[in-house]
Amino acid sequence: MTLDRPLARPAPPRSSSLTGRPRVPLAALALLIGAAPFAMHAWAALNGYFWQDDFIITYRAAQASPFDPDYLFQAYNREHLAPGMLLLAWLVTWIAPLSYPVAVLPLLAMQALASVLFWRLLVRCFGPRPALLVPFAVFTASPLILLPTLWWAYGVQLIPLLLTMVGALGAHVRYLTGGRRRDAGYALLWTAAGMAFYEKAALLPALLLAVTILLAPPGERWALGWALRTHRRVWLSQLGLLAGYAAVYLSVSSPAVGAPGTGGGRYADLAGRLLLDTFLPGVFGGPLGAAGGGVSWHPPGLAVRILAAALAAGVVIGGLIVGGRRARHAWLLLAGYLAADLALVALTRLGLVGSLVGADPRYVADAVPVAVLFAAFAYLRPLESLPEPTHRPRPRLRTVLMTVLVVAFAANATVSHLRLAPAAQAAHAKRYVATAAAELSRTPGIVLYDGGVPVDILINWFGRDARASRVIGLLPGPPRFDLPAETMYQLDSTGRPRPIERLDDAVTDIPGTARDCGHLIDDRPTPVGLTAGVRGKLLARVEYFTGDGGPGWVTVAGRTIRVDFERGVHTLHIPVDGELDTLTFRRATPVAPVCVTKVIVGEPVV
């Protein structure tokens, strides 16, 4: 049996110093460069909180079993197949419900490991040289990565993707340089792990092929043909994995694909916003515009966008001058990856949201390590390529240049991230849950109407899931929702429970015929009609009196609910969810009847 032909690899240099004089270890400098933005991001993340999808994901996780395939392989939000995300959500919820530090600690560990593996990938491809500090700084300090991953629901997709991306690339490069089949197997496992968290991991086989092309021997005139021919077993296994993933994904999901629109104007507008307003300013570290909704930012000023575009043009042209044919391949492959990102956004979001979605960094954050790695290929000769030219810049000048670039980028990116991070930490949601927890601990046992919450905590797009139970349902107790009660409470905009005293847009009952009683309720079903039909999530207020307390039943919107009638004059609140034009009452035992004097059904207001 023969292995696919590996690339010849010379021994790497023993020192990063071109003069042989002892220097600060390159790995120590890389550690410092990576640790500073990581510490800043960890501080921001640990002081953040859940927001939007986070509440729904963790609420569902608390109701599920980690061994239930229907839970792990559900299509979350109709379009996300992410069993890894759901398993992690179950684990952190099981350990400590609604604890954001517990939820983000696994992501921070993955992020740190991704940085270590990315540095090792750069060294394996290009050898230990100071120039690698620049792309490494861009990767570790990029606000395109750091800011949106403050949102847990996105961080639990992107950070595992970045980890598996660099893990797969590292294993694949080891396979290319050493020829060991097991390294190709590790790359396959990394790819499969990425697919368990984020659909964009489906791009990893193409990314592995791109790196293979960039590491093709210099004498190969057609690098793509060489890569496909020489390592065909690798591509067959990767394609098999991709086909299996696609089959599972398409069988369980129904992606929300919007109308394609007319003409190319919308696509051009989206591309301009995504690349010129978001990606380029973000990949250069800013300065970025003011904080937008959630983890996005407004487009920076025109001068910043022009400068970012000019810098990008300079980087591309400089790479073409320095790297020649290899740089052309690198830039074309990067353009292909960005085009794939753009196509996915256009297909799934353009018709639904419009070109404004281009201002959201989540749709291009995964391209940061790709851009950084391919830029390194454009400027640096891989170890598997020809030897370095004999005429090199003076070490002192090169050191100064590298230092200036690293410090300038790190400072710019740090300022951008620190300026925008507070708006992405979901402080309102944190205060809302803390207020509700404190109030419920003082008044345990009260019943809450499961109504909506402020849209900056859980937007009403989530329909039936846009309710208070998804936000605070995992608090100790747990809180009691939508049970029949004499006094019904609802959370106000701050999270404080307040008694419901008013029903808006209400309908009432058709007056009863029993003299001095209204509707006479005994142990036989007694319908009470409304003056008009209603629909939706509402509250019914029933005013009654009786001489004998005891249990009974009320049927509303197709559900039969057990209630307790209290002796004397009382009010009973019953949550309604669905279509309703009649309430049916009956007592559970043949005792004194209940007189229902009035029924009101409407939207509760506090």
Side-chain angles (χ1 to χ4, degrees):
M1 178 182 296
T2 60
L3 296 176
D4 293 343
R5 177 164 59 91
L7 297 169
R9 177 175 183 173
R14 295 184 180 180
S15 172
S16 61
S17 171
L18 297 178
T19 62
R21 294 194 300 269
R23 300 280 183 89
V24 176
L26 191 61
L29 292 175
L31 177 63
L32 177 63
I33 290 171
F38 174 79
M40 171 194 68
H41 177 69
W43 175 84
L46 291 171
N47 286 279
Y49 202 65
F50 298 106
W51 184 68
Q52 302 293 351
D53 302 60
D54 301 347
F55 291 115
I56 298 174
I57 293 171
T58 53
Y59 180 83
R60 292 182 182 177
Q63 323 301 320
S65 164
F67 306 106
D68 182 4
D70 290 336
Y71 166 68
L72 294 178
F73 292 92
Q74 65 176 292
Y76 172 72
N77 204 21
R78 297 175 51 200
E79 60 184 0
H80 296 300
L81 175 63
M85 175 193 76
L86 295 173
L87 182 60
L88 182 59
W90 177 88
L91 177 63
V92 299
T93 304
W94 176 72
I95 294 173
L98 290 181
S99 172
Y100 201 67
V102 169
V104 299
L105 281 173
L107 302 186
L108 293 174
M110 292 184 200
Q111 181 183 350
L113 181 57
S115 296
V116 171
L117 294 182
F118 190 72
W119 174 253
R120 294 180 62 181
L121 172 64
L122 291 174
V123 172
R124 181 167 292 276
C125 288
F126 305 104
R129 58 181 78 182
L132 297 181
L133 296 176
V134 176
F136 185 65
V138 174
F139 173 71
T140 56
S142 174
L144 271 171
I145 293 175
L146 299 183
L147 183 68
T149 52
L150 291 177
W151 182 8
W152 187 84
Y154 179 65
V156 80
Q157 295 180 68
L158 180 68
I159 292 177
L161 173 66
L162 298 182
L163 173 61
T164 56
M165 177 187 291
V166 296
L169 287 169
H172 186 66
V173 171
R174 289 198 306 271
Y175 160 74
L176 293 176
T177 56
R180 295 181 302 182
R181 186 68 59 80
R182 67 180 181 183
D183 287 324
Y186 292 150
L188 191 69
L189 292 176
W190 279 113
T191 303
M195 291 175 176
F197 285 89
Y198 197 6
E199 299 82 15
K200 280 194 174 182
L203 298 175
L204 291 185
L207 188 57
L208 299 182
L209 177 60
V211 171
T212 307
I213 292 171
L214 293 172
L215 288 174
E220 291 290 341
R221 299 177 63 89
W222 188 35
L224 174 59
W226 171 86
L228 292 174
R229 181 181 66 256
T230 308
H231 305 288
R232 56 187 176 277
R233 295 184 181 89
V234 171
W235 313 128
L236 288 175
S237 61
Q238 290 282 345
L239 285 176
L241 173 64
L242 184 58
Y245 174 75
V248 176
Y249 178 79
L250 294 175
S251 67
V252 302
S253 67
S254 54
V257 178
T262 58
R266 300 183 71 197
Y267 298 101
D269 187 27
L270 174 65
R273 291 177 184 270
L274 199 66
L275 300 178
L276 300 179
D277 294 355
T278 304
F279 180 71
L280 291 183
V283 83
F284 287 119
L288 304 173
V295 294
S296 66
W297 57 76
H298 293 293
L302 179 61
V304 173
R305 285 177 280 160
I306 292 175
L307 178 60
L311 284 174
V315 169
V316 171
I317 294 171
L320 293 174
I321 295 172
V322 173
R325 178 170 174 262
R326 186 180 62 254
R328 290 196 299 273
H329 286 163
W331 298 136
L332 286 173
L333 292 168
L334 174 58
Y337 192 92
L338 290 172
D341 269 354
L342 178 62
L344 290 173
V345 177
L347 181 65
T348 60
R349 292 292 182 267
L350 182 58
L352 298 173
V353 182
S355 59
L356 289 176
V357 73
D360 195 327
R362 292 178 297 150
Y363 297 108
V364 285
D366 59 292
V368 172
V370 180
V372 168
L373 182 62
F374 287 4
F377 272 107
Y379 278 86
L380 303 174
R381 289 174 178 261
L383 289 181
E384 290 72 30
S385 186
L386 295 174
E388 290 284 348
T390 56
H391 299 288
R392 297 176 179 173
R394 288 168 37 182
R396 187 179 301 276
L397 178 61
R398 184 181 63 181
T399 301
V400 171
L401 179 61
M402 294 301 105
T403 302
V404 169
L405 287 175
V406 169
V407 171
F409 175 82
N412 189 32
T414 298
V415 170
S416 296
H417 182 52
L418 290 178
R419 185 170 59 85
L420 297 175
Q425 289 179 302
H428 184 198
K430 190 173 186 178
R431 290 192 300 269
Y432 184 92
V433 175
T435 299
E439 293 292 327
L440 291 175
S441 67
R442 282 194 286 266
T443 54
I446 65 172
V447 177
L448 297 173
Y449 175 78
D450 198 8
V453 298
V455 294
D456 63 340
I457 296 175
L458 191 57
I459 198 167
N460 53 15
W461 288 352
F462 289 109
R464 297 178 63 86
D465 277 318
R467 296 179 180 178
S469 61
R470 274 50 170 178
V471 177
I472 68 163
L474 301 185
L475 287 175
R480 304 170 69 212
F481 284 99
D482 282 358
L483 299 176
E486 177 145 356
T487 302
M488 183 75 69
Y489 293 80
Q490 186 174 9
L491 300 182
D492 65 12
S493 61
T494 68
R496 193 180 306 278
R498 296 189 182 278
I500 295 173
E501 299 178 352
R502 191 174 92 241
L503 299 178
D504 281 358
D505 300 323
V507 299
T508 61
D509 61 303
I510 299 172
T513 58
R515 185 178 177 181
D516 297 328
C517 179
H519 303 277
L520 185 65
I521 310 301
D522 54 21
D523 59 343
R524 294 167 296 180
T526 304
V528 175
L530 301 177
T531 56
V534 294
R535 169 189 282 186
K537 183 74 168 61
L538 302 168
L539 184 66
R541 173 179 290 156
V542 180
E543 298 177 3
Y544 71 93
F545 64 87
T546 181
D548 285 327
W553 304 92
V554 181
T555 300
V556 292
R559 294 190 328 148
T560 299
I561 304 169
R562 185 185 182 280
V563 298
D564 287 313
F565 295 110
E566 300 289 338
R567 183 177 181 179
V569 179
H570 292 276
T571 300
L572 179 65
H573 291 91
I574 304 172
V576 176
D577 194 356
E579 296 184 6
L580 178 68
D581 58 11
T582 301
L583 293 83
T584 301
F585 297 84
R586 72 179 177 91
R587 301 215 65 169
T589 55
V591 293
V594 172
C595 290
V596 172
T597 58
K598 190 173 185 180
V599 176
I600 306 173
V601 181
E603 181 75 28
V605 178
V606 295

